Amino acid sequence: MMPIPPPGAPPKRGWVILDRDGVINRDRADYVKTPAELDFLPGSLEAIAALTQAGYGVVVATNQSGVGRGLLSEQDLDAIHAKLETAVQAAGGQLLGVFACPHAPDAGCACRKPRAGLLQQIATWAGIDLVGVPVVGDAVRDLEAARSVGALPILVRTGHGEKTLREWPDVAGLSVFADLTAFARHWITRSTAAAWRQDGA
Ligand SMILES: [Mg+2]
Ligand SMILES: [Zn+2]
């Protein structure tokens, strides 16, 4: 896969980590194998743009076992992510990094969510710890990975979100949003209010 250039200056408002399938684009039971199969969920690109413009560094952390299963090549995955980054830019946003686990489930890698490796790669790359950083996902394994590194698990109801909501044991302690747009709106408003309090105190 293409190397991810190091981040420049740290983002003003901190980091937001997003799962890909079921959060940004439609999940497919047969995997997203080509750029043409990357079909964006309504409002997701604009939500990333809003986060970017509000001062967040947005990063993607995604399991892509289709590569390990031989359904697509690493070059195909790079092409899919080039389309994703271009579409985000066209909407006025930016992805600072797209981190993918290409391994099959039986490969025993450290990076496939729910394991923590992918999020730890991001932490090392960004030079941060992940405590309190929102990790937005639609699957149980996204929430588990987030929780294992002290990040803030955020569930969206898109993708597998409704099913996850039924399966997650601690729904009372979970932040749930209709979709990425609803999360972005909440997160930006919340942190803007906090910044006002800080600046105006
Ligand atoms: Mg997903
Ligand atoms: Zn992996």
Side-chain angles (χ1 to χ4, degrees):
M1 282 178 286
M2 289 186 287
I4 298 167
K12 273 199 330 236
R13 291 272 188 260
W15 297 86
V16 172
I17 300 174
L18 306 178
D19 176 44
R20 196 194 81 181
D21 300 331
V23 174
I24 301 173
N25 57 279
R26 284 181 213 288
D27 202 353
R28 294 175 61 107
D30 66 341
Y31 299 87
V32 176
K33 302 175 293 302
T34 63
E37 290 178 347
L38 189 72
D39 183 14
F40 298 109
L41 289 167
S44 67
L45 298 174
E46 293 77 9
I48 295 171
L51 287 165
T52 303
Q53 289 167 19
Y56 289 96
V58 183
V59 179
V60 172
T62 175
N63 285 355
Q64 292 301 325
S65 68
V67 176
R69 295 172 204 263
L71 300 172
L72 69 161
S73 67
E74 296 216 345
Q75 289 71 28
D76 295 330
L77 189 60
D78 283 344
I80 291 164
H81 290 159
K83 174 181 172 177
L84 170 61
E85 292 183 16
T86 301
V88 167
Q89 280 167 18
Q94 193 186 3
L95 293 177
L96 294 182
V98 177
F99 291 77
C101 162
H103 307 112
D106 61 5
C109 73
C111 44
R112 181 174 165 80
K113 295 178 281 184
R115 288 189 281 274
L118 209 51
L119 296 179
Q120 285 166 345
Q121 281 176 32
I122 293 171
T124 302
W125 167 83
I128 55 168
D129 77 49
L130 295 171
V131 174
V133 172
V135 174
V136 184
D138 69 316
V140 168
R141 61 193 178 203
D142 300 317
L143 306 178
E144 287 176 346
R147 204 166 57 169
S148 76
V149 297
L152 188 63
I154 305 278
L155 178 66
V156 286
R157 290 173 179 263
T158 48
H160 297 289
E162 293 293 342
K163 180 167 169 278
T164 300
L165 198 52
R166 292 193 295 273
E167 291 174 358
W168 188 250
D170 178 26
V171 171
L174 187 63
S175 296
V176 184
F177 294 92
D179 56 15
L180 189 55
T181 302
F183 162 74
R185 200 169 283 156
H186 166 83
W187 197 251
I188 291 166
T189 307
R190 174 185 173 280
S191 57
T192 304
W196 280 340
R197 279 199 299 277
Q198 256 180 8
D199 297 345

